[in-house]
Amino acid sequence: MTRDRLKLPSSTTFSLGAKVGRFSSAVIVALIPDHPVIVVEEMPNYHYVGDGEIELAGFKSIVEWGEYVVRTWASYAGPSPPCRAWVEPETEFEKELARCKMRLRRNYKHSAELRTEVLREYFQDSKILFTPWLDVLPNEVQRARWPPEESSAYQVRAVGQDYTLHALEQVISRRPMAVPVTKPKRSHWLQQYLNQHRIHRTRGDVHLGTQ
Amino acid sequence: MNRRTLSNARRHQLAAEYRRKVWAKYGIVPFPHQAQWICAGEGYDLLDRAPNEAERFELVMLDDESIEPRALAPRANGAAHVLIDLAGFKGGKSFGAAMWMCGYAALPDAQVDIIGLQYETSDPEIHYLAEFLLSEKGMGLKGQHRNNAKDGAVWVKLDDGAVFIARSWVAANKADSLKGKTRDCYAYSEAYQLPGLHVYSRVAQNLRERDGHAIFPTTPDRAWVKQLHDKGHGEDPYWYCVCGIDASCNPFTFDQAARDRDDPTKGGLMTKERFKIAWQGRVNRHIGAVYDYEKEPCMLTPQNYPHLWTNDARPPQTPV
């Protein structure tokens, strides 16, 4: 089960979430009508090294990472949809990422509690799936814990070095929905001709001078 | 009573008989889950039916305050010695622990340790023991009751010798003062607060001489409690677990309005996992985990969505 064996239908749309900073990550989710949300790609700029610690890997700068995200996005969504990622409102590096044509959409009004609760709902109701090649994200999801002294009213998970999970929370909190594709009903050739050459007549009361 | 001539079996029998005496004097009728684990510690299974004419039975109080007898049957492989009671808020956990421990008052040399994270944690158990044994309503025995957590002096000592002492795990661990003792029983108060199962394994040898018991009445608030639960439901009859006890089992303290305020399905404050633990006493393997994630069900595979994979990725179809 590898990426080249995944066959997404033409009705698939995509959405992107990101966490931008010294450690950055992005996730692409595929939205197919009547299917759960499928997380198809994760793009962290770090990797794990023993004991749950992370270190930067592979990218010399944030711009280089942004270019990688844009290329990966284009490989899934095609060249036309712009690469726009949902991020937290305080995100920096907007100008740097704009240079590589990665736009940031700030996730206002979606607090940390809301993001956590929405993603919890998706897992509890089985509305989300992971592709088998995801490596970092499943581990971060499994390791996510409540802080030792949680408030029952405000459920904010303990934040650790889980930037890929943060990116997923950003995009899922928007409750992305697949756009249903409706094909236009094909009409008879004569009807199509008449539609194209319709003579427009103004209706009205002839006694008032309209024609 | 000659201490040397008392066998362990006789000690347990005396404790069991005295326990019933204390209950009768104080007017206690156990809830079914309390009776279940106490009887298991005495070598009996509490059955879910009325007794026949010649059968032993135990009276239990139901959640509507009615009392009915339940049949007892001898437990295969004998008494359990590690007893676990996983119940929700105010389910009678500490009360049940005191109901078990009061039986040791019959033994002049009984030594019972109540281990909590701090001295204050064992307040309820010590308080109930003092009520059962020293008060006029209880047995009216002669003894002392000290409750000075700051000085580490929290105990009930009977004049005829039995001692019930509260220990702080934090303090005892530093001094390593729990080892090398002889004990009849360890009662772990709010066991979930303790760091892990090693709180028992490190002192289990102290129970060997008197074939003692360890009891764990707690809410299943930490992941390591699942270890207790698994052992209690495993094949080793030495361990016994009663779990999933809803808070509604205790008619004296149950408050439906308070439950509704916490019930997430009714807009309450708790998460589903927290509600299951706190009100329903259920062990949740996702204790502490934020997301209800399991690898297999959450994976997109050719088995669950074959139309999203190319033909060569799909599993071969078995011919009809």
Side-chain angles (χ1 to χ4, degrees), chain B residues 12-316:
Chain B
H12 296 327
Q13 184 190 8
L14 285 173
E17 286 174 8
Y18 196 74
R19 202 171 280 137
R20 295 301 182 292
K21 213 169 171 181
V22 174
W23 296 359
K25 180 73 170 51
Y26 200 80
I28 297 169
V29 178
F31 302 134
H33 73 97
Q34 293 169 332
Q36 219 172 323
W37 68 262
I38 290 175
C39 292
E42 294 169 350
Y44 292 93
D45 281 326
L46 185 79
L47 305 179
D48 201 15
R49 61 171 174 81
N52 298 329
E53 204 172 300
E55 266 183 329
R56 286 184 68 135
F57 65 92
E58 184 72 59
L59 291 176
V60 298
M61 178 179 287
L62 305 180
D63 52 11
D64 57 358
E65 295 192 44
S66 62
I67 296 174
E68 65 179 37
R70 293 270 178 95
L72 292 175
R75 191 166 180 260
N77 301 312
H81 286 260
V82 182
L83 305 162
I84 302 135
D85 183 20
L86 304 179
F89 283 163
K90 299 295 177 193
K93 302 181 294 294
S94 297
F95 199 86
M99 285 165 62
W100 170 266
M101 290 188 284
C102 65
Y104 294 104
L107 307 169
D109 59 346
Q111 297 269 339
V112 176
D113 280 6
I114 306 165
I115 300 179
L117 190 65
Q118 305 287 354
Y119 290 106
E120 296 89 342
T121 316
S122 308
D123 261 355
E125 285 84 357
I126 290 287
H127 170 77
Y128 292 136
L129 276 171
E131 279 287 308
F132 294 165
L133 300 174
L134 303 179
S135 70
E136 283 185 18
K137 185 185 174 189
M139 302 306 286
L141 300 175
K142 289 185 180 165
Q144 295 96 44
H145 170 211
R146 184 76 65 86
N147 194 347
N148 192 345
K150 283 183 187 172
D151 294 339
V154 183
W155 39 255
V156 169
K157 289 184 182 172
L158 302 181
D159 283 358
D160 63 356
V163 175
F164 305 84
I165 299 183
R167 304 269 187 205
S168 155
W169 175 259
V170 172
N173 206 26
K174 280 183 190 169
D176 213 13
S177 57
L178 291 178
K179 291 187 177 174
K181 307 284 192 296
T182 298
R183 292 290 180 266
D184 289 273
C185 177
Y186 282 116
Y188 291 90
S189 173
E190 303 293 350
Y192 76 92
Q193 295 177 355
L194 298 168
L197 197 49
H198 60 273
V199 301
Y200 163 72
S201 60
R202 282 169 73 176
V203 297
Q205 69 271 19
N206 296 348
L207 298 170
R208 272 189 220 143
E209 185 178 335
R210 296 179 180 173
D211 201 18
H213 294 77
I215 59 176
F216 292 84
T218 178
T219 45
D221 243 330
R222 288 288 181 271
W224 76 267
V225 176
K226 187 170 182 305
Q227 234 183 327
L228 280 177
H229 165 81
D230 290 343
K231 290 199 82 71
H233 291 279
E235 291 176 2
D236 189 350
Y238 196 82
W239 298 72
Y240 185 81
C241 174
V242 177
C243 56
I245 305 303
D246 198 284
S248 58
C249 73
N250 187 345
F252 304 116
T253 58
F254 181 66
D255 181 355
Q256 183 65 49
R259 185 192 183 108
D260 291 344
R261 281 194 289 274
D262 287 338
D263 191 344
T265 61
K266 296 179 184 175
L269 298 176
M270 286 188 174
T271 60
K272 284 183 195 174
E273 288 84 1
R274 189 91 190 92
F275 185 81
K276 277 182 199 168
I277 292 165
W279 283 96
Q280 298 173 346
R282 284 160 62 181
V283 176
N284 189 339
R285 105 181 93 118
H286 298 290
I287 289 173
V290 178
Y291 300 112
D292 194 5
Y293 169 77
E294 288 185 51
K295 190 175 176 183
E296 296 298 328
C298 284
M299 187 79 69
L300 176 73
T301 63
Q303 281 76 27
N304 54 17
Y305 288 92
H307 57 282
L308 296 180
W309 299 88
T310 55
N311 286 338
D312 52 354
R314 293 180 199 168

